[in-house]
Amino acid sequence: MNDKRNTMLSQRLSNRRLLVDLLALMFGLGAWVGVNGIYVQLPLLVNSAPEGWSLPAHMVMLVQFANLGPVLYTLYIKYVKWACDKYITYVLLAAGALSTFILAFVYDKTTVIVGNEHSTALLSLMFVTATVGCTSSVLFMPYMRNYREIYLVSYLVGEGLSGFVPSVVALIQGVGGNPECLNITKPESTQVEFAPYYPEPRFSSHTFFIFLGTLLALCYLAFLGLNNLTVAVGERVKHPGSMETLPTDTRAPPSYKTNAGWTMSKHVYSYLLIMMAVVCFLGNGTLPSIQSYSCLPYGNVAYHLTVTLSSMAGPLAMCLGFFIKMPKVSFLSGLMVVLIALSGFICFLAVKSPNPPLQYSWIGEFLVVLSWILISGLIGFIKLGITTLFRPDPGRGLYYTGVATQVGSLVGAVITFVLINHAKLFYSYSPCSMISKH
C-alpha cells in the first residue's frame, strides 16, 4: 500500500517544475499575508488600541470596504478594451509591501475622529493590504489559469501559508503570558484600584512588521520570476484567440456544460457557490470579529494560541490537496454541518462573555483553542474542495467563486459589526475587575 502511494506521489512530482511550484506558492503567499500578519498581532494590539476588544470587528469591516478593489477591477475589464492582469498584479504586490514597511513605524499612532480616538495609521495601512487580498480573489487565483492545472494547488497552498508563516513567527514572538494585576491606588484615594499589566513579548510588533514587509517584497519578486523566467514561461498554457486571454473575461460563457468536456449540473453549480459564500460568511466575516470575545475571557495565552494555531490549521488542511482525490459534493456537505455546529459553539461562548462556561479551567481553554483549530482547518479544506471542483470550468467558474467569497465575507462582517458596536450584544472582560470590587 505504501509503495503504491509513493509511486503516485513520484508520478505527480515528476511531471512538474518544482521551481514553478515555489514561485506559484510565493505568489499565493502574497495574496493575504499582509492582512493575516496584522491579524496575528491582535493579541498584542487589542489591549493597547483605543478600540479595545472591538478592534477585530473594525479590522474585518475594513477588509470588506477593500472590496472596492475587485469592484473597480471588474468594471475596468468590462469597459476597457486593453487590460493586462500582470501589470495590475505588480502594482498591488508593490503597494502591499510598501504599506507594511511603513506600518512598522506608525502602527501605534492614533488620532481623534468625531471625538473618539482611533488607530488610524494601523487601520488605513491595513486597508491597502486588504485591497491586495480582496482583489486577489478575482485576479490572482484566476490568473493561475494561464499555467498548467497542477500549479493551482501550489498557489492555493501558498495562499493558505499566508496565515501559517506569520503565525509561526507570532508563536515564537509570544505574548509574554497572561496579564498581572498591579495595585495603582493613589495615596489620597480611599478606593483600591488594580490595572492589568501585560508582559512584553520576545520581540516587538515593529520587528514583526519589518519581517512581514520583507516577505511581501519576496512575493513581488516571485511573481516577477513567474512571468519572466524561462522555466516558468514554459509551463504556461496558451488560450485560444488571444496572446493573453483574461481568466475573468466577462464574455466567457457562465455555462454548466461546455464543449470542453467539463460538466456540472445547474443545481450543484449554484449549491457550491452558496456553500462558498456561507463558509466565507463565517470564516472571513463573523467569526474573526468575535474571536476576542470568545477567547480573551480564558486568558491572553489562550487568545494567542487560538490566533496562531488556527491560522496554521487552514494551510495544513489545504496541503491535503496534494495527496487526495477531488472531494465529492456530499463529503463537503458533511464537513459543512460540522463547521456550522462548531461555529455555533464559538458564537455561544462570545455571547456569554465576560463569563463563559469553564472560564477558569484548563478544559475551557483547551476546548476554545481546539474548536478554533478545527474550524480553521474545515474552512481551508472546504474552500480548497470547491475551488478544485470549479478549476476545469473553461467559463467563469473561478470568477464566480471569487465573487461568492467576497459577498459572503461582506455580509458576515456588516452583520457582526452592527451587533458588536451598536446592538452591544458582546461585552469585554477585565482581568482585574473582580479584584477591584473587593
Side-chain angles (χ1 to χ4, degrees), residues 129-360:
T129 60
T131 301
V132 177
C134 290
T135 310
S136 72
S137 298
V138 295
L139 177 61
F140 290 16
M141 184 172 65
Y143 187 82
M144 288 306 298
R145 279 190 56 195
N146 290 310
Y147 297 86
R148 293 172 56 205
E149 180 179 350
I150 55 177
Y151 298 112
L152 177 64
V153 174
S154 301
Y155 169 86
L156 290 172
V157 171
E159 189 174 288
L161 286 175
S162 65
F164 183 87
V165 174
S167 296
V168 171
V169 178
L171 200 59
I172 297 171
Q173 179 187 24
V175 291
N178 287 321
E180 303 173 9
C181 293
L182 301 181
N183 192 332
I184 59 169
T185 306
K186 298 179 180 179
E188 64 276 8
S189 176
T190 57
Q191 185 175 355
V192 179
E193 295 183 40
F194 290 85
Y197 166 73
Y198 296 92
E200 294 294 326
R202 293 185 179 90
F203 54 87
S204 66
S205 294
H206 167 79
T207 304
F208 180 88
F209 288 134
I210 289 290
F211 160 79
L212 200 62
T214 304
L215 195 60
L216 272 165
L218 292 176
C219 295
Y220 176 89
L221 293 176
F223 185 67
L224 191 68
L226 199 61
N227 285 283
N228 294 281
L229 292 179
T230 304
V231 64
V233 173
E235 297 298 295
R236 290 172 67 95
V237 292
K238 186 176 181 181
H239 296 282
S242 175
M243 290 294 291
E244 188 166 354
T245 300
L246 289 173
T248 52
D249 190 349
T250 55
R251 296 165 295 180
S255 58
Y256 318 103
K257 182 177 181 180
T258 70
N259 55 14
W262 182 85
T263 59
M264 180 182 287
S265 70
K266 183 177 181 180
H267 170 75
V268 174
Y269 193 97
S270 302
Y271 175 70
L272 288 175
L273 291 178
I274 293 173
M275 186 186 296
M276 177 65 88
V278 172
V279 168
C280 295
F281 173 90
L282 295 171
N284 297 343
T286 301
L287 296 180
S289 299
I290 64 173
Q291 190 173 52
S292 56
Y293 295 94
S294 68
C295 298
L296 271 173
Y298 294 96
N300 220 34
V301 173
Y303 185 29
H304 174 66
L305 291 175
T306 295
V307 171
T308 52
L309 296 181
S310 63
S311 295
M312 296 179 186
L316 288 176
M318 285 186 172
C319 286
L320 295 175
F322 277 114
F323 307 105
I324 65 173
K325 295 181 180 179
M326 184 181 298
K328 295 182 178 179
V329 176
S330 58
F331 180 65
L332 293 177
S333 298
L335 294 182
M336 274 296 298
V337 173
V338 178
L339 173 61
I340 292 173
L342 288 172
S343 300
F345 173 67
I346 291 299
C347 291
F348 169 75
L349 294 182
V351 170
K352 288 294 183 180
S353 176
N355 300 302
L358 303 172
Q359 183 174 13
Y360 301 106

Side-chain angles (χ1 to χ4, degrees), residues 14-90:
S14 63
N15 195 31
R16 64 199 307 152
R17 298 288 184 266
L18 293 181
L19 177 59
V20 182
D21 276 307
L22 178 61
L23 294 175
L25 185 147
M26 287 298 295
F27 176 42
L29 184 70
W32 285 99
V33 72
V35 174
N36 290 330
I38 297 171
Y39 186 74
V40 296
Q41 286 294 286
L42 275 175
L44 295 175
L45 300 175
V46 74
N47 294 311
S48 58
E51 292 83 1
W53 284 25
S54 67
L55 179 63
H58 282 79
M59 291 172 64
V60 170
M61 193 65 189
L62 196 67
V63 170
Q64 303 316 311
F65 282 134
N67 280 306
L68 180 64
V71 170
L72 292 176
Y73 170 73
T74 303
L75 294 175
Y76 178 69
I77 62 173
K78 184 175 182 179
Y79 295 108
V80 178
K81 293 183 178 180
W82 182 90
C84 186
D85 291 2
K86 179 170 63 177
Y87 297 116
I88 299 174
T89 303
Y90 281 136

